[in-house]
């Protein structure tokens, strides 16, 4: 978080009263837990405060203030957006909020964090990983969308003023314009002070590049080879790929009623199911490709993705195949996460 300490809190009697809490805030800046939002014109007031209360540490802390003020002077003008401005009456609560780890709530802490870590390494967002490794960001398992949204609200209630909680969930969308219940869940938690990002693609796994899928091992003799599945997947448009069930493919037992519809090739073992919520998204796809993709790519893709990124087999360029706007959306997700750290 970027934190501003108004000058009047450092001066005269206010400075004496607030000294302990202000120095705890400055310690956060020194530890790089938070950033100091300070104008160059306020550095002299900080210097006087430090000389009065911590003369031994004054020069060290003053250098920190000077560096922070110069960084702000050269930074793009963004106003006070994203800055926590403390006040005399909120100072104690603000310090408590800022010393707690930020909270990232996801549906599955194992698989979703593997995806987030892999993508962060590709997109130059290693500061998010460092925050988790340094216990400045906690990742919590929601156990699904409903659990995640409830947990996010519960976590937000633990913060007094600055709700340092972010929810990241799948959209579960079947086509680009599909608005799902997950969007409503996200809007509900935002009203409770939680930050939220709903993925544009159907699920986390839809952001896995083709090069990772090419490393997926073949399963059983009775299943189509991964290479054939990947070739069929490559026939999809970016929109089709973004809303395909990467884990399970077009597999499933047709249910009674109109929930699902099946198309058959007339040969044994080649049944596939196209959920009607896809609309006409896959109408132009060759039937043989739909048959080949009936099994999907399995449930262990996030771990494979992270493994390939760590060994250097995947680069940011591989994300280009996801289509225009994908990397920008992921950067937006990381900006939202970064905004609560």
């Amino acid at each position: 978080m970027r934190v501003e300490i108004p000058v009047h809190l450092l001066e005269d009697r206010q400075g004496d009263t607030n000294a302990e809490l202000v120095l705890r805030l400055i310690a956060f800046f020194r530890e790089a837990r938070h950033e100091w939002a300070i104008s160059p014109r306020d550095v002299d007031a900080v210097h006087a405060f430090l000389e009065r209360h911590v003369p031994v540490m004054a020069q060290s802390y003053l250098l920190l203030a000077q560096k922070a003020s110069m960084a702000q002077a050269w930074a793009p003008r963004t106003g006070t957006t994203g800055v926590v401005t403390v006040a005399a009456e909120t100072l104690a609560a603000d310090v408590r909020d800022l010393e707690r780890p930020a909270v990232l709530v996801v549906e599955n802490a194992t698989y979703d964090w593997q995806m987030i870590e892999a993508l962060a390494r590709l997109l130059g967002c290693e500061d998010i990983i460092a925050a988790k490794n340094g216990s400045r960001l906690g990742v919590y398992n929601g156990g699904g969308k409903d659990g995640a949204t409830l947990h996010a609200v519960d976590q937000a209630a633990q913060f007094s003023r600055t709700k340092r909680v972010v929810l990241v969930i799948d959209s579960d969308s079947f086509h680009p314009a599909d608005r799902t219940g997950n969007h409503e869940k996200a809007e509900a938690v935002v009203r409770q002070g939680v930050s939220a990002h709903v993925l544009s693609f159907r699920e986390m796994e839809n952001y896995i590049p083709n090069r990772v899928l090419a490393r997926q091992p073949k399963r059983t003799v009775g299943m189509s080879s991964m290479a054939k599945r990947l070739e069929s997947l490559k026939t999809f448009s970016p929109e089709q790929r973004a809303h395909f069930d990467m884990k399970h493919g077009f597999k499933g037992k047709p249910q009674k009623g109109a929930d699902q519809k099946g198309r058959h090739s007339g040969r044994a073992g080649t049944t596939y199911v196209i959920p009607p919520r896809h609309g006409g998204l896959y109408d132009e796809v060759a039937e043989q490709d739909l048959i080949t993709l009936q099994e999907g790519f399995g449930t262990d893709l996030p771990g494979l993705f992270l493994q390939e990124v760590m060994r250097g087999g995947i680069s940011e360029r591989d994300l280009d195949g996801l289509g225009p706007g994908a990397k920008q959306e992921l950067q937006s997700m990381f900006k939202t996460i970064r905004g609560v750290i």
Side-chain angles (χ1 to χ4, degrees), residues 19-215:
E20 182 179 357
L21 291 172
V22 168
L23 290 171
R24 285 173 68 183
L25 286 178
I26 295 175
F28 293 160
F29 307 146
R30 181 173 57 83
E31 296 163 4
R33 294 179 62 177
H34 300 289
E35 296 180 12
W36 198 345
I38 178 173
S39 168
R41 66 175 178 272
D42 294 336
V43 171
D44 287 343
V46 171
H47 189 193
F49 170 83
L50 293 171
E51 288 284 4
R52 190 165 73 251
H53 293 285
V54 283
V56 174
M57 297 293 294
Q59 287 304 313
S60 176
Y61 282 179
L62 177 61
L63 181 60
L64 180 68
Q66 290 171 335
K67 287 182 177 180
S69 68
M70 292 305 296
Q72 178 155 315
W74 287 99
R77 298 294 180 185
T78 56
T80 58
T81 303
V83 176
V84 177
T85 302
V86 302
E89 60 272 17
T90 68
L91 187 55
D94 288 330
V95 169
R96 287 195 298 270
D97 286 347
L98 292 168
E99 68 185 354
R100 291 174 59 93
V103 178
L104 168 62
V105 183
V106 292
E107 298 174 46
N108 184 300
T110 299
Y111 293 142
D112 288 344
W113 177 253
Q114 287 173 337
M115 286 292 307
I116 289 171
E117 180 176 351
L119 291 165
R121 291 184 183 279
L122 291 181
L123 293 172
C125 298
E126 289 89 348
D127 57 308
I128 305 293
I129 303 169
K132 178 179 181 293
N133 293 341
S135 300
R136 293 181 287 114
L137 174 68
V139 180
Y140 287 84
N141 182 62
K145 284 83 175 173
D146 291 332
T149 53
L150 290 172
H151 190 71
V153 172
D154 289 344
Q155 286 293 312
Q158 305 303 311
F159 292 86
S160 298
R161 197 165 77 97
T162 305
K163 310 295 186 180
R164 300 177 54 224
V165 181
V166 59
L167 171 70
V168 174
I169 56 174
D170 299 337
S171 66
D172 290 343
S173 55
F174 283 75
H175 54 82
D178 193 11
R179 178 178 170 80
T180 69
N182 295 344
H183 295 92
E184 297 175 1
K185 290 180 174 67
E187 290 170 357
V189 302
V190 168
R191 290 193 290 270
Q192 299 296 318
V194 176
S195 300
H197 183 91
V198 181
L199 298 174
S200 295
F201 290 4
R202 179 172 178 167
E203 295 175 322
M204 276 283 190
E205 288 80 0
N206 292 91
Y207 295 87
I208 295 177
N210 286 346
R211 191 182 296 272
V212 175
L213 302 178
R215 313 287 170 83

Side-chain angles (χ1 to χ4, degrees), residues 260-273:
Q260 292 181 323
K261 63 181 178 180
R263 284 163 55 183
H264 305 267
S265 70
R267 296 190 298 275
T270 56
T271 299
Y272 57 93
V273 178

